[in-house]
PDB file of all heavy atoms in Angstrom:
ATOM      1  N   HIS A1171      -9.647  12.235   2.606  1.00  0.00           N
ATOM      2  CA  HIS A1171      -9.409  13.557   3.195  1.00  0.00           C
ATOM      3  C   HIS A1171      -7.956  13.959   2.965  1.00  0.00           C
ATOM      4  O   HIS A1171      -7.041  13.149   3.176  1.00  0.00           O
ATOM      5  CB  HIS A1171      -9.679  13.532   4.706  1.00  0.00           C
ATOM      6  CG  HIS A1171     -11.122  13.346   5.055  1.00  0.00           C
ATOM      7  ND1 HIS A1171     -11.632  13.653   6.290  1.00  0.00           N
ATOM      8  CD2 HIS A1171     -12.173  12.917   4.318  1.00  0.00           C
ATOM      9  CE1 HIS A1171     -12.934  13.410   6.307  1.00  0.00           C
ATOM     10  NE2 HIS A1171     -13.286  12.957   5.129  1.00  0.00           N
ATOM     11  N   TYR A1175      -0.039  21.531   4.436  1.00  0.00           N
ATOM     12  CA  TYR A1175       0.683  22.280   5.461  1.00  0.00           C
ATOM     13  C   TYR A1175       1.910  22.924   4.828  1.00  0.00           C
ATOM     14  O   TYR A1175       2.465  22.416   3.863  1.00  0.00           O
ATOM     15  CB  TYR A1175       1.147  21.365   6.597  1.00  0.00           C
ATOM     16  CG  TYR A1175       0.041  20.710   7.388  1.00  0.00           C
ATOM     17  CD1 TYR A1175      -0.592  19.554   6.945  1.00  0.00           C
ATOM     18  CD2 TYR A1175      -0.364  21.245   8.614  1.00  0.00           C
ATOM     19  CE1 TYR A1175      -1.596  18.951   7.673  1.00  0.00           C
ATOM     20  CE2 TYR A1175      -1.371  20.641   9.356  1.00  0.00           C
ATOM     21  CZ  TYR A1175      -1.979  19.499   8.879  1.00  0.00           C
ATOM     22  OH  TYR A1175      -2.976  18.910   9.611  1.00  0.00           O
ATOM     23  N   GLN A1177       5.825  24.530   5.790  1.00  0.00           N
ATOM     24  CA  GLN A1177       6.849  24.570   6.822  1.00  0.00           C
ATOM     25  C   GLN A1177       8.017  25.437   6.376  1.00  0.00           C
ATOM     26  O   GLN A1177       8.628  25.184   5.334  1.00  0.00           O
ATOM     27  CB  GLN A1177       7.352  23.156   7.155  1.00  0.00           C
ATOM     28  CG  GLN A1177       8.337  23.119   8.307  1.00  0.00           C
ATOM     29  CD  GLN A1177       8.742  21.700   8.691  1.00  0.00           C
ATOM     30  OE1 GLN A1177       8.886  20.835   7.839  1.00  0.00           O
ATOM     31  NE2 GLN A1177       8.935  21.475   9.992  1.00  0.00           N
ATOM     32  N   GLU A1180      13.319  25.549  10.345  1.00  0.00           N
ATOM     33  CA  GLU A1180      13.391  25.617  11.809  1.00  0.00           C
ATOM     34  C   GLU A1180      12.024  25.897  12.461  1.00  0.00           C
ATOM     35  O   GLU A1180      11.977  26.270  13.640  1.00  0.00           O
ATOM     36  CB  GLU A1180      14.398  26.682  12.261  1.00  0.00           C
ATOM     37  CG  GLU A1180      15.783  26.512  11.652  1.00  0.00           C
ATOM     38  CD  GLU A1180      16.409  25.167  11.969  1.00  0.00           C
ATOM     39  OE1 GLU A1180      16.266  24.716  13.123  1.00  0.00           O
ATOM     40  OE2 GLU A1180      17.036  24.561  11.080  1.00  0.00           O
ATOM     41  N   LEU A1183       5.096  22.778  11.245  1.00  0.00           N
ATOM     42  CA  LEU A1183       4.196  22.876  10.096  1.00  0.00           C
ATOM     43  C   LEU A1183       3.013  23.776  10.437  1.00  0.00           C
ATOM     44  O   LEU A1183       2.497  23.750  11.550  1.00  0.00           O
ATOM     45  CB  LEU A1183       3.675  21.493   9.697  1.00  0.00           C
ATOM     46  CG  LEU A1183       4.633  20.582   8.937  1.00  0.00           C
ATOM     47  CD1 LEU A1183       5.741  20.051   9.816  1.00  0.00           C
ATOM     48  CD2 LEU A1183       3.864  19.434   8.295  1.00  0.00           C
ATOM     49  N   PHE A1185      -0.846  24.690   9.266  1.00  0.00           N
ATOM     50  CA  PHE A1185      -2.007  24.227   8.497  1.00  0.00           C
ATOM     51  C   PHE A1185      -2.421  25.261   7.453  1.00  0.00           C
ATOM     52  O   PHE A1185      -2.432  26.466   7.720  1.00  0.00           O
ATOM     53  CB  PHE A1185      -3.172  23.960   9.445  1.00  0.00           C
ATOM     54  CG  PHE A1185      -4.490  23.753   8.766  1.00  0.00           C
ATOM     55  CD1 PHE A1185      -4.820  22.529   8.205  1.00  0.00           C
ATOM     56  CD2 PHE A1185      -5.404  24.794   8.667  1.00  0.00           C
ATOM     57  CE1 PHE A1185      -6.033  22.343   7.571  1.00  0.00           C
ATOM     58  CE2 PHE A1185      -6.623  24.622   8.039  1.00  0.00           C
ATOM     59  CZ  PHE A1185      -6.936  23.392   7.491  1.00  0.00           C
ATOM     60  N   ASP A1196     -12.035  23.362   5.191  1.00  0.00           N
ATOM     61  CA  ASP A1196     -11.452  24.388   6.055  1.00  0.00           C
ATOM     62  C   ASP A1196     -10.265  25.001   5.330  1.00  0.00           C
ATOM     63  O   ASP A1196      -9.306  24.291   5.052  1.00  0.00           O
ATOM     64  CB  ASP A1196     -11.024  23.758   7.384  1.00  0.00           C
ATOM     65  CG  ASP A1196     -10.409  24.747   8.372  1.00  0.00           C
ATOM     66  OD1 ASP A1196     -10.198  25.927   8.008  1.00  0.00           O
ATOM     67  OD2 ASP A1196     -10.125  24.332   9.514  1.00  0.00           O
ATOM     68  N   SER A1198      -8.909  27.984   6.482  1.00  0.00           N
ATOM     69  CA  SER A1198      -8.569  29.086   7.379  1.00  0.00           C
ATOM     70  C   SER A1198      -7.081  29.419   7.392  1.00  0.00           C
ATOM     71  O   SER A1198      -6.697  30.504   7.786  1.00  0.00           O
ATOM     72  CB  SER A1198      -9.049  28.769   8.796  1.00  0.00           C
ATOM     73  OG  SER A1198      -8.452  27.568   9.266  1.00  0.00           O
ATOM     74  N   VAL A1240     -13.800   8.224  13.941  1.00  0.00           N
ATOM     75  CA  VAL A1240     -13.909   9.327  14.878  1.00  0.00           C
ATOM     76  C   VAL A1240     -12.547   9.979  15.088  1.00  0.00           C
ATOM     77  O   VAL A1240     -12.411  11.179  14.980  1.00  0.00           O
ATOM     78  CB  VAL A1240     -14.488   8.829  16.214  1.00  0.00           C
ATOM     79  CG1 VAL A1240     -14.465   9.942  17.237  1.00  0.00           C
ATOM     80  CG2 VAL A1240     -15.897   8.295  16.017  1.00  0.00           C
ATOM     81  N   GLU A1241     -11.572   9.191  15.417  1.00  0.00           N
ATOM     82  CA  GLU A1241     -10.224   9.740  15.539  1.00  0.00           C
ATOM     83  C   GLU A1241      -9.397   9.185  14.398  1.00  0.00           C
ATOM     84  O   GLU A1241      -9.375   7.986  14.180  1.00  0.00           O
ATOM     85  CB  GLU A1241      -9.609   9.400  16.899  1.00  0.00           C
ATOM     86  CG  GLU A1241      -9.553   7.941  17.282  1.00  0.00           C
ATOM     87  CD  GLU A1241      -8.331   7.207  16.743  1.00  0.00           C
ATOM     88  OE1 GLU A1241      -7.390   7.862  16.280  1.00  0.00           O
ATOM     89  OE2 GLU A1241      -8.341   5.974  16.765  1.00  0.00           O
ATOM     90  N   THR A1243      -5.770   9.283  12.157  1.00  0.00           N
ATOM     91  CA  THR A1243      -4.382   9.673  12.014  1.00  0.00           C
ATOM     92  C   THR A1243      -4.146  10.254  10.632  1.00  0.00           C
ATOM     93  O   THR A1243      -4.656   9.739   9.636  1.00  0.00           O
ATOM     94  CB  THR A1243      -3.474   8.452  12.234  1.00  0.00           C
ATOM     95  OG1 THR A1243      -3.713   7.925  13.539  1.00  0.00           O
ATOM     96  CG2 THR A1243      -2.017   8.835  12.076  1.00  0.00           C
ATOM     97  N   GLN A1244      -3.365  11.321  10.579  1.00  0.00           N
ATOM     98  CA  GLN A1244      -2.970  11.890   9.296  1.00  0.00           C
ATOM     99  C   GLN A1244      -1.599  11.355   8.922  1.00  0.00           C
ATOM    100  O   GLN A1244      -0.673  11.357   9.741  1.00  0.00           O
ATOM    101  CB  GLN A1244      -2.934  13.419   9.372  1.00  0.00           C
ATOM    102  CG  GLN A1244      -4.309  14.036   9.564  1.00  0.00           C
ATOM    103  CD  GLN A1244      -4.276  15.548   9.585  1.00  0.00           C
ATOM    104  OE1 GLN A1244      -3.373  16.175   9.036  1.00  0.00           O
ATOM    105  NE2 GLN A1244      -5.278  16.138  10.224  1.00  0.00           N
ATOM    106  N   ARG A1251       9.553  20.893  -1.973  1.00  0.00           N
ATOM    107  CA  ARG A1251      10.338  22.057  -1.572  1.00  0.00           C
ATOM    108  C   ARG A1251      10.339  23.062  -2.694  1.00  0.00           C
ATOM    109  O   ARG A1251      10.881  22.801  -3.765  1.00  0.00           O
ATOM    110  CB  ARG A1251      11.750  21.631  -1.194  1.00  0.00           C
ATOM    111  CG  ARG A1251      11.802  21.146   0.244  1.00  0.00           C
ATOM    112  CD  ARG A1251      12.775  20.016   0.496  1.00  0.00           C
ATOM    113  NE  ARG A1251      12.510  19.451   1.819  1.00  0.00           N
ATOM    114  CZ  ARG A1251      11.600  18.510   2.057  1.00  0.00           C
ATOM    115  NH1 ARG A1251      10.907  17.989   1.068  1.00  0.00           N
ATOM    116  NH2 ARG A1251      11.389  18.071   3.285  1.00  0.00           N
TER     117      ARG A1251
ATOM    118  N   TYR B1285       4.369  12.972  16.529  1.00  0.00           N
ATOM    119  CA  TYR B1285       4.980  12.748  15.228  1.00  0.00           C
ATOM    120  C   TYR B1285       6.488  12.935  15.341  1.00  0.00           C
ATOM    121  O   TYR B1285       6.977  13.679  16.176  1.00  0.00           O
ATOM    122  CB  TYR B1285       4.445  13.743  14.179  1.00  0.00           C
ATOM    123  CG  TYR B1285       3.069  13.427  13.638  1.00  0.00           C
ATOM    124  CD1 TYR B1285       1.919  13.856  14.295  1.00  0.00           C
ATOM    125  CD2 TYR B1285       2.914  12.707  12.449  1.00  0.00           C
ATOM    126  CE1 TYR B1285       0.657  13.582  13.791  1.00  0.00           C
ATOM    127  CE2 TYR B1285       1.662  12.434  11.933  1.00  0.00           C
ATOM    128  CZ  TYR B1285       0.539  12.879  12.620  1.00  0.00           C
ATOM    129  OH  TYR B1285      -0.712  12.598  12.107  1.00  0.00           O
ATOM    130  N   GLN B1287       9.916  13.867  12.910  1.00  0.00           N
ATOM    131  CA  GLN B1287      10.296  14.397  11.606  1.00  0.00           C
ATOM    132  C   GLN B1287      11.805  14.450  11.462  1.00  0.00           C
ATOM    133  O   GLN B1287      12.495  15.071  12.283  1.00  0.00           O
ATOM    134  CB  GLN B1287       9.709  15.794  11.373  1.00  0.00           C
ATOM    135  CG  GLN B1287       9.949  16.308   9.954  1.00  0.00           C
ATOM    136  CD  GLN B1287       9.357  17.668   9.692  1.00  0.00           C
ATOM    137  OE1 GLN B1287       9.182  18.474  10.604  1.00  0.00           O
ATOM    138  NE2 GLN B1287       9.040  17.938   8.432  1.00  0.00           N
ATOM    139  N   SER B1290      14.278  17.170   5.908  1.00  0.00           N
ATOM    140  CA  SER B1290      13.873  16.993   4.512  1.00  0.00           C
ATOM    141  C   SER B1290      12.855  15.873   4.312  1.00  0.00           C
ATOM    142  O   SER B1290      12.725  15.344   3.206  1.00  0.00           O
ATOM    143  CB  SER B1290      15.093  16.733   3.618  1.00  0.00           C
ATOM    144  OG  SER B1290      16.011  17.795   3.718  1.00  0.00           O
ATOM    145  N   PHE B1295       3.987   9.516  11.801  1.00  0.00           N
ATOM    146  CA  PHE B1295       3.187   9.193  12.976  1.00  0.00           C
ATOM    147  C   PHE B1295       3.935   8.209  13.867  1.00  0.00           C
ATOM    148  O   PHE B1295       4.480   7.216  13.392  1.00  0.00           O
ATOM    149  CB  PHE B1295       1.850   8.590  12.532  1.00  0.00           C
ATOM    150  CG  PHE B1295       1.029   8.009  13.635  1.00  0.00           C
ATOM    151  CD1 PHE B1295       0.220   8.829  14.401  1.00  0.00           C
ATOM    152  CD2 PHE B1295       1.060   6.656  13.916  1.00  0.00           C
ATOM    153  CE1 PHE B1295      -0.555   8.300  15.426  1.00  0.00           C
ATOM    154  CE2 PHE B1295       0.299   6.114  14.937  1.00  0.00           C
ATOM    155  CZ  PHE B1295      -0.515   6.940  15.692  1.00  0.00           C
ATOM    156  N   GLN B1298      -0.453   7.507  19.298  1.00  0.00           N
ATOM    157  CA  GLN B1298      -1.609   8.330  19.646  1.00  0.00           C
ATOM    158  C   GLN B1298      -2.335   7.710  20.825  1.00  0.00           C
ATOM    159  O   GLN B1298      -2.408   6.479  20.929  1.00  0.00           O
ATOM    160  CB  GLN B1298      -2.562   8.434  18.448  1.00  0.00           C
ATOM    161  CG  GLN B1298      -3.755   9.334  18.652  1.00  0.00           C
ATOM    162  CD  GLN B1298      -4.604   9.411  17.395  1.00  0.00           C
ATOM    163  OE1 GLN B1298      -5.204   8.433  16.976  1.00  0.00           O
ATOM    164  NE2 GLN B1298      -4.636  10.583  16.777  1.00  0.00           N
ATOM    165  N   PRO B1342     -11.278  14.331  17.633  1.00  0.00           N
ATOM    166  CA  PRO B1342     -11.928  14.264  16.328  1.00  0.00           C
ATOM    167  C   PRO B1342     -12.589  15.589  15.983  1.00  0.00           C
ATOM    168  O   PRO B1342     -12.489  16.541  16.729  1.00  0.00           O
ATOM    169  CB  PRO B1342     -12.955  13.157  16.518  1.00  0.00           C
ATOM    170  CG  PRO B1342     -13.280  13.197  17.962  1.00  0.00           C
ATOM    171  CD  PRO B1342     -12.009  13.564  18.650  1.00  0.00           C
ATOM    172  N   ARG B1343     -13.234  15.624  14.918  1.00  0.00           N
ATOM    173  CA  ARG B1343     -13.754  16.877  14.417  1.00  0.00           C
ATOM    174  C   ARG B1343     -14.579  17.565  15.471  1.00  0.00           C
ATOM    175  O   ARG B1343     -15.469  17.016  16.053  1.00  0.00           O
ATOM    176  CB  ARG B1343     -14.611  16.646  13.156  1.00  0.00           C
ATOM    177  CG  ARG B1343     -13.793  16.167  12.014  1.00  0.00           C
ATOM    178  CD  ARG B1343     -14.647  15.830  10.810  1.00  0.00           C
ATOM    179  NE  ARG B1343     -13.852  15.088   9.868  1.00  0.00           N
ATOM    180  CZ  ARG B1343     -13.602  13.801   9.958  1.00  0.00           C
ATOM    181  NH1 ARG B1343     -14.140  13.114  10.927  1.00  0.00           N
ATOM    182  NH2 ARG B1343     -12.839  13.194   9.084  1.00  0.00           N
ATOM    183  N   THR B1348     -13.323  20.189  11.540  1.00  0.00           N
ATOM    184  CA  THR B1348     -12.002  20.118  10.940  1.00  0.00           C
ATOM    185  C   THR B1348     -11.075  19.281  11.797  1.00  0.00           C
ATOM    186  O   THR B1348     -11.223  19.220  13.005  1.00  0.00           O
ATOM    187  CB  THR B1348     -11.399  21.526  10.758  1.00  0.00           C
ATOM    188  OG1 THR B1348     -10.110  21.395  10.145  1.00  0.00           O
ATOM    189  CG2 THR B1348     -11.212  22.222  12.093  1.00  0.00           C
ATOM    190  N   ASP B1349     -10.132  18.642  11.158  1.00  0.00           N
ATOM    191  CA  ASP B1349      -9.128  17.861  11.845  1.00  0.00           C
ATOM    192  C   ASP B1349      -7.747  18.469  11.703  1.00  0.00           C
ATOM    193  O   ASP B1349      -6.759  17.774  11.825  1.00  0.00           O
ATOM    194  CB  ASP B1349      -9.094  16.438  11.269  1.00  0.00           C
ATOM    195  CG  ASP B1349     -10.132  15.547  11.929  1.00  0.00           C
ATOM    196  OD1 ASP B1349     -10.527  15.846  13.064  1.00  0.00           O
ATOM    197  OD2 ASP B1349     -10.552  14.579  11.301  1.00  0.00           O
ATOM    198  N   LYS B1350      -7.663  19.758  11.453  1.00  0.00           N
ATOM    199  CA  LYS B1350      -6.351  20.335  11.209  1.00  0.00           C
ATOM    200  C   LYS B1350      -5.473  20.146  12.437  1.00  0.00           C
ATOM    201  O   LYS B1350      -5.912  20.214  13.571  1.00  0.00           O
ATOM    202  CB  LYS B1350      -6.464  21.816  10.879  1.00  0.00           C
ATOM    203  CG  LYS B1350      -7.060  22.677  11.981  1.00  0.00           C
ATOM    204  CD  LYS B1350      -7.262  24.099  11.476  1.00  0.00           C
ATOM    205  CE  LYS B1350      -7.943  24.969  12.524  1.00  0.00           C
ATOM    206  NZ  LYS B1350      -8.296  26.301  11.968  1.00  0.00           N
ATOM    207  N   LEU B1351      -4.199  19.868  12.176  1.00  0.00           N
ATOM    208  CA  LEU B1351      -3.231  19.673  13.233  1.00  0.00           C
ATOM    209  C   LEU B1351      -2.490  20.979  13.492  1.00  0.00           C
ATOM    210  O   LEU B1351      -2.127  21.684  12.565  1.00  0.00           O
ATOM    211  CB  LEU B1351      -2.230  18.586  12.826  1.00  0.00           C
ATOM    212  CG  LEU B1351      -2.815  17.183  12.612  1.00  0.00           C
ATOM    213  CD1 LEU B1351      -1.742  16.224  12.150  1.00  0.00           C
ATOM    214  CD2 LEU B1351      -3.498  16.683  13.870  1.00  0.00           C
ATOM    215  N   PHE B1353       0.811  22.346  14.857  1.00  0.00           N
ATOM    216  CA  PHE B1353       2.177  21.987  15.221  1.00  0.00           C
ATOM    217  C   PHE B1353       2.845  23.136  15.979  1.00  0.00           C
ATOM    218  O   PHE B1353       2.749  24.283  15.566  1.00  0.00           O
ATOM    219  CB  PHE B1353       3.009  21.692  13.966  1.00  0.00           C
ATOM    220  CG  PHE B1353       2.735  20.368  13.325  1.00  0.00           C
ATOM    221  CD1 PHE B1353       1.640  20.204  12.487  1.00  0.00           C
ATOM    222  CD2 PHE B1353       3.577  19.288  13.537  1.00  0.00           C
ATOM    223  CE1 PHE B1353       1.384  18.979  11.882  1.00  0.00           C
ATOM    224  CE2 PHE B1353       3.336  18.066  12.932  1.00  0.00           C
ATOM    225  CZ  PHE B1353       2.236  17.912  12.105  1.00  0.00           C
ATOM    226  N   ARG B1358      13.724  19.023  19.582  1.00  0.00           N
ATOM    227  CA  ARG B1358      14.826  18.518  18.762  1.00  0.00           C
ATOM    228  C   ARG B1358      15.669  17.581  19.609  1.00  0.00           C
ATOM    229  O   ARG B1358      16.380  18.015  20.515  1.00  0.00           O
ATOM    230  CB  ARG B1358      15.662  19.691  18.242  1.00  0.00           C
ATOM    231  CG  ARG B1358      16.669  19.331  17.165  1.00  0.00           C
ATOM    232  CD  ARG B1358      17.289  20.603  16.596  1.00  0.00           C
ATOM    233  NE  ARG B1358      16.285  21.459  15.980  1.00  0.00           N
ATOM    234  CZ  ARG B1358      15.846  21.347  14.731  1.00  0.00           C
ATOM    235  NH1 ARG B1358      16.346  20.409  13.940  1.00  0.00           N
ATOM    236  NH2 ARG B1358      14.929  22.170  14.262  1.00  0.00           N
TER     237      ARG B1358
END
Side-chain angles (χ1 to χ4, degrees):
Chain A
H1171 292 198
Y1175 296 82
Q1177 185 176 37
E1180 306 301 319
L1183 284 72
F1185 168 81
D1196 180 354
S1198 59
V1240 174
E1241 55 85 13
T1243 301
Q1244 293 182 25
R1251 276 145 193 86
Chain B
Y1285 283 86
Q1287 187 179 27
S1290 302
F1295 170 83
Q1298 184 178 66
R1343 293 175 193 81
T1348 181
D1349 275 336
K1350 62 186 176 187
L1351 297 177
F1353 284 81
R1358 191 172 299 275

